[in-house]
Amino acid sequence: MMANSPFPLRSQVVTQGVQRSPNRAMLRAVGFRDEDFGKPIVGIANAHSTITPCNMGIQTLAERAEAALKAAGCMPQVFGTITISDGISMGTEGMKYSLVSREVIADSIETVVNGQSMDGLLAIGGCDKNMPGAMIAMARLNVPSIFVYGGTIKPGHYNGRDLTIVSAFEAVGEFSAGRISEEELLAVERHACPGAGSCGGMYTANTMSSAFEAMGMSLPYSSTMAAEDEEKAESAAQSAKVLAEAIKANIRPRDIITRKSIENAISVIMAVGGSTNAVLHFLAIAHAAEVPLTLDDFETIRARVPVLCDLKPSGRFVATDLHRAGGIPQVMKMLLNHGLLHGDCLTISGQTLAEVLRDVPDEPPADQEVIRPWHNPLYPQGHLAILKGNLASEGAVAKITGVKKPQITGPARVFDSEESCLQAILSGQIRAGDVVVIRYEGPKGGPGMREMLSPTSAIIGAGLGDSVGLITDGRFSGGTYGMVVGHVAPEAYVGGTIALVEEGDLITIDAPARLLHLHVSDEELARRRARWSPPEPRYKRGTLAKYAKLVSSSSLGAVTDLNLWD
């Protein structure tokens, strides 16, 4: 047993006693010596791959964590898990696998850690679904765990401006609208992603890493470090040391992932202007941790938390700028000082959140513009609003800040797939005042709830971002902004009202009133519903078919283990 450990280690069931000799023989083959069999076995879930720049620098972090765990008296065992590059699969059939990968990651980590009776878990992830997938697994497993973010990409540069991956998507729309040349389009493509790391704005990856730091499951400052900087590798090693101490102290994820700490995470998401995907993912994480959480809770927190950070996609700066300005601890200290965080929450270090933030300055540095002072926020209330109405009785999610016209009523332009909508935008068929409807792209209908960055970026690139609305039962990339509403539930495939919309129907999106309304009478909707029948499933075998069969509504987090035996 690990020195000073107050509880039996799970791994002892495979390492202790004469009857365990065959188990020990196999462990000797992977490097165990006689003196190692009483040490905690710690899994390192390594999401390294060369599929995406988000994950291609993770191997170095895994090696540093492995060495630090060994030095701390643990026996690390490294295993792999998957990733799907949202940016590469965007706008293709492959994007249907993105949200599915969250469940595959969670299931794979749970399977290995429980299957091998491991005593702890250090998970390292980069691309968007790595973070919630790992955290769902941690909440299910409830063995001492810590999350290590692979790090953010540094911004690209072209023509005097910072670039991110979203710049490339918007450039396609600009080119199609005749606003830039093909030469400039290629120049943006060539400069947008200069190296390793996750997409640089406050998109989904950086949003989730920031939220995990706020929740206490990652180390302070780690969520905004650049992937290629030495401090990121040092942080991975320090995370391993902290995890070793957490194993000694028997600090478990469900001691940390509580209702209060999830509220802290959501408050930080609002303050930094984070991704709409965080709503979906935290509903799923709360479900895994058996913590009550609903869509309405996000609206409650939104109403009291200001947006403090001027970050892309709708702002000016990227995550590395936020890091230099004081990072997530600076944002949290401001929220804590104004009664918007629970300072008594436990963190993975064994300290309370208030103790972690004790020496952080009360106000951000005066020589930066990324984090606004408290008296001058970017917006007085949060940016992620929950809209309801006859088009979304369970709810829908919208980013409502950075939009010049937060209300629009216009004729529906209806598309039953992302591809058909994108073609219409790029060919100039969408006009100012239209409300675009993309349906049958929900969790079951897609299946997989694709992100709609290609259509939304094309709308922005065409100069229609402030004059066209878009609603979908699919998702949006963290890089999306504009008058867009996603996660519409119930989705079209299960007979939600969005399935009944016809071309030319008037639709109102009213962000201040949190309203999503179809101007069609109840009687007419009843007639349309009587004529409606669900389409044939798009997949009847394989991964997507299994997912479509199991997945819940987006209003419940699009989880796949909801009341399976009820």
Side-chain angles (χ1 to χ4, degrees):
M1 186 184 302
M2 187 175 187
N4 301 319
S5 178
F7 69 101
L9 297 172
R10 297 197 328 158
S11 58
Q12 287 182 338
V13 301
V14 294
T15 61
Q16 301 301 304
V18 174
Q19 70 274 26
R20 306 302 177 194
S21 181
N23 313 59
R24 289 156 58 108
M26 296 198 72
L27 289 170
R28 289 183 191 279
V30 297
F32 278 62
R33 299 163 299 177
D34 289 344
E35 62 269 26
D36 295 329
F37 289 111
K39 297 175 181 178
I41 295 178
V42 179
I44 298 177
N46 180 4
H48 168 80
S49 75
T50 56
I51 287 172
T52 170
C54 309
N55 291 53
M56 71 182 192
I58 285 177
Q59 183 61 31
T60 299
L61 307 185
E63 291 168 357
R64 289 288 293 271
E66 182 181 23
L69 281 166
K70 287 180 178 178
C74 300
M75 288 303 292
Q77 292 190 302
V78 182
F79 62 93
T81 188
I82 69 160
T83 198
I84 296 294
S85 171
D86 290 1
I88 295 172
S89 65
M90 195 74 67
T92 74
E93 195 79 355
M95 187 53 174
K96 293 181 178 181
Y97 288 88
S98 171
L99 188 58
V100 176
S101 76
R102 184 189 75 179
E103 311 310 305
V104 176
I105 292 164
D107 292 350
S108 66
I109 293 173
E110 177 191 353
T111 300
V112 174
V113 173
N114 272 343
Q116 302 303 128
S117 302
M118 292 175 172
D119 302 300
L121 170 65
L122 184 148
I124 313 175
C127 201
D128 293 3
K129 307 311 174 295
N130 295 178
M131 272 77 76
M135 196 59 58
I136 289 168
M138 291 175 181
R140 290 179 188 168
L141 290 161
N142 204 33
V143 300
S145 304
I146 194 167
F147 184 80
V148 176
Y149 182 39
T152 185
I153 197 171
K154 294 179 178 179
H157 302 284
Y158 173 69
N159 228 12
R161 62 188 176 111
D162 287 349
L163 300 179
T164 69
I165 184 59
V166 175
S167 307
F169 280 93
E170 291 179 0
V172 172
E174 291 178 295
F175 173 72
S176 298
R179 300 173 69 196
I180 62 172
S181 65
E182 184 174 3
E183 181 181 10
E184 186 169 355
L185 171 65
L186 290 174
V188 171
E189 174 198 311
R190 289 169 179 149
H191 292 87
C193 296
S198 299
C199 301
M202 192 48 68
Y203 311 147
T204 303
N206 285 326
T207 298
M208 297 307 294
S209 69
S210 299
F212 290 176
E213 182 180 325
M215 195 165 58
M217 289 295 292
S218 295
L219 295 189
Y221 299 100
S222 65
S223 66
T224 52
M225 292 175 178
E228 297 179 329
D229 286 353
E230 174 59 23
E231 67 174 347
K232 173 46 67 177
E234 292 172 359
S235 178
Q238 182 60 30
S239 296
K241 295 176 186 176
V242 169
L243 176 59
E245 293 302 314
I247 294 171
K248 288 182 184 178
N250 195 20
I251 298 174
R252 298 171 180 251
R254 293 197 189 188
D255 300 325
I256 299 169
I257 306 172
T258 64
R259 171 68 186 216
K260 283 185 175 181
S261 73
I262 289 176
E263 288 182 357
N264 287 348
I266 295 170
S267 294
V268 167
I269 290 165
M270 296 294 177
V272 300
S275 166
T276 54
N277 284 308
V279 177
L280 193 75
H281 296 327
F282 266 95
L283 288 169
I285 291 165
H287 168 73
E290 299 184 78
V291 173
L293 188 71
T294 70
L295 279 174
D296 291 337
D297 294 319
F298 288 85
E299 183 60 35
T300 299
I301 295 171
R302 183 200 70 80
R304 66 185 184 227
V305 177
V307 179
L308 297 172
C309 299
D310 188 4
L311 295 166
K312 291 179 182 293
S314 59
R316 294 180 290 162
F317 299 103
V318 296
T320 50
D321 298 318
L322 174 59
H323 190 64
R324 286 188 291 269
I328 296 303
Q330 180 64 78
V331 176
M332 286 197 291
K333 184 62 174 284
M334 297 166 70
L335 295 173
L336 181 68
N337 286 347
H338 291 85
L340 294 174
L341 290 186
H342 303 287
D344 58 343
C345 286
L346 181 69
T347 70
I348 188 61
S349 69
Q351 298 175 291
T352 66
L353 186 67
E355 289 170 338
V356 169
L357 299 176
R358 181 178 53 212
D359 297 328
V360 176
D362 290 334
E363 290 292 332
D367 61 349
Q368 57 81 44
E369 298 179 336
V370 186
I371 307 173
R372 295 287 192 93
W374 188 263
H375 67 271
N376 185 29
L378 200 64
Y379 303 101
Q381 292 181 316
H383 64 302
L384 297 181
I386 306 304
L387 276 56
K388 293 187 177 182
N390 68 349
L391 257 175
S393 58
E394 293 178 14
V397 183
K399 271 186 184 178
I400 64 172
T401 53
V403 178
K404 292 180 181 178
K405 297 177 181 178
Q407 297 126 329
I408 183 172
T409 296
R413 303 297 311 279
V414 183
F415 302 93
D416 287 348
S417 71
E418 176 187 1
E419 288 86 352
S420 58
C421 175
L422 181 61
Q423 183 179 8
I425 296 167
L426 295 179
S427 61
Q429 297 177 44
I430 303 302
R431 303 280 189 265
D434 287 345
V435 177
V436 174
V437 178
I438 307 177
R439 63 190 180 190
Y440 296 105
E441 291 286 6
K444 286 183 176 294
M449 206 180 178
R450 286 193 287 184
E451 292 181 354
M452 303 293 154
L453 181 58
S454 294
T456 57
S457 295
I459 287 170
I460 296 290
L464 297 170
D466 293 316
S467 58
V468 167
L470 188 152
I471 69 171
T472 180
D473 51 10
R475 296 183 295 128
F476 294 119
S477 162
T480 296
Y481 62 100
M483 180 51 76
V484 296
V485 183
H487 308 200
V488 171
E491 62 173 291
Y493 187 79
V494 301
T497 305
I498 191 172
L500 310 179
V501 180
E502 296 182 356
E503 188 80 7
D505 286 347
L506 284 182
I507 292 176
T508 290
I509 304 171
D510 189 332
R514 272 85 69 200
L515 178 66
L516 187 60
H517 184 70
L518 175 65
H519 293 268
V520 173
S521 70
D522 292 343
E523 294 77 13
E524 173 59 19
L525 287 177
R527 283 190 288 271
R528 294 182 187 181
R529 189 173 300 282
R531 297 193 302 266
W532 178 84
S533 60
E536 280 289 304
R538 285 172 169 160
Y539 300 85
K540 294 186 178 180
R541 300 183 69 179
T543 299
L544 292 179
K546 288 189 290 185
Y547 182 84
K549 190 77 171 177
L550 292 173
V551 70
S552 75
S553 169
S554 61
S555 65
L556 299 174
V559 298
T560 55
D561 63 343
L562 183 70
N563 302 324
L564 291 179
W565 292 98
D566 287 358

